[in-house]
Amino acid sequence: NAGVTQTPKFQVLKTGQSMTLQCAQDMNHNSMYWYRQDPGMGLRLIYYSASEGTTDKGEVPNGYNVSRLNKREFSLRLESAAPSQTSVYFCASSDSGQSSGNTIYFGEGSWLTVV
Amino acid sequence: GEDVEQSLFLSVREGDSSVINCTYTDSSSTYLYWYKQEPGAGLQLLTYIFSNMDMKQDQRLTVLLNKKDKHLSLRIADTQTGDSAIYFCAERRGSIGGKLIFGQGTELSVKP
């Protein structure tokens, strides 16, 4: 069972470079999310997509763009990376079933360093 | 406030009970969750509670929900060294597919 798969797992970027984090889920979930995790700050929502074809800003969207390519895939793009974007990024997806608590499932994380 | 609040650290002895507390913000939140994160790993769902419940028990885990005070707690009975991790509470705001907002996490340290 693959669940939520995100790539790359590790990346080092120079300031000003661009990159895209890829995420795919095989659980037929409608909703997908991108979070960043920084020490002492928990997880903060960057963008989310409640369903295919829609995206919405979360708590910290500045400096990022997203694309919900299809139901399976939700990518996060850094157009011009900054050191403040050094973080661990988590992709997640959730189902719509109330019996399962609308549970959110997370990928393994992508460690991004901007130098 | 807008934040989900948790204390940052908790230290207990092996075999004791651990209680991790959380204060959330939105009285209309539908589901509340507890996640566990071990070093270098992703987040693992431990349990969740629907907002119309006030308690849920799942083996060693007990979740208590006080909607009036917007307070959520996670009790781990007979805490083991393998329970050492960071524990996050989270609230789902809005309808299905809505945002999941996390607290800062509580680092639980279990001493033998």
Side-chain angles (χ1 to χ4, degrees):
Chain A
N1 292 337
V4 179
T5 304
Q6 53 182 111
T7 58
K9 192 163 178 73
F10 299 98
Q11 183 74 50
V12 178
L13 284 178
K14 293 183 179 177
T15 297
Q17 284 186 317
S18 62
M19 79 158 294
T20 300
L21 297 173
Q22 308 285 354
C23 177
Q25 51 91 9
D26 62 1
M27 296 175 282
N28 201 35
H29 287 169
N30 286 318
S31 303
M32 297 186 74
Y33 310 80
W34 276 105
Y35 287 87
R36 61 177 286 174
Q37 184 177 26
D38 302 291
M41 303 195 71
L43 278 82
R44 293 181 291 169
L45 182 65
I46 304 171
Y47 271 93
Y48 69 107
S49 171
S51 61
E52 187 179 355
T54 68
T55 60
D56 287 285
K57 293 178 180 179
E59 302 166 89
V60 288
N62 291 345
Y64 305 95
N65 285 301
V66 290
S67 296
R68 183 73 184 266
L69 303 168
N70 48 54
K71 192 172 186 180
R72 287 188 65 245
E73 298 172 287
F74 188 41
S75 63
L76 177 73
R77 183 160 178 84
L78 286 68
E79 289 291 353
S80 178
S84 61
Q85 294 178 303
T86 294
S87 188
V88 183
Y89 291 84
F90 288 98
C91 178
S93 70
S94 74
D95 60 22
S96 304
Q98 292 195 15
S99 62
S100 60
N102 295 158
T103 300
I104 287 191
Y105 298 87
F106 284 83
E108 291 294 306
S110 297
W111 274 252
L112 177 65
T113 301
V114 183
V115 297
Chain B
E2 295 296 319
D3 296 337
V4 178
E5 302 271 350
Q6 297 178 241
S7 53
L8 295 182
F9 301 101
L10 177 65
S11 180
V12 300
R13 292 256 175 229
E14 192 173 20
D16 288 349
S17 292
S18 308
V19 179
I20 303 172
N21 294 302
C22 171
T23 303
Y24 62 98
T25 61
D26 189 346
S27 57
S28 66
S29 290
T30 51
Y31 290 98
L32 297 128
Y33 305 83
W34 284 103
Y35 282 85
K36 176 183 180 182
Q37 186 181 36
E38 295 178 350
L43 275 79
Q44 171 196 354
L45 177 70
L46 285 177
T47 188
Y48 66 90
I49 188 167
F50 190 45
S51 58
N52 69 354
M53 299 168 65
D54 51 22
M55 188 183 90
K56 180 177 181 181
Q57 186 148 6
D58 185 359
Q59 298 182 337
R60 292 191 297 123
L61 306 179
T62 303
V63 178
L64 296 178
L65 175 60
N66 180 332
K67 277 194 75 172
K68 174 176 165 290
D69 295 335
K70 288 183 273 190
H71 184 264
L72 183 74
S73 68
L74 174 70
R75 178 177 181 269
I76 306 172
D78 188 24
T79 313
Q80 303 297 306
T81 54
D83 294 323
S84 293
I86 300 177
Y87 291 80
F88 292 93
C89 70
E91 61 171 335
R92 182 182 283 282
R93 296 181 185 170
S95 58
I96 290 169
K99 298 183 287 189
L100 195 67
I101 304 297
F102 285 80
Q104 314 97 304
T106 299
E107 183 175 347
L108 175 64
S109 173
V110 182
K111 300 190 184 324

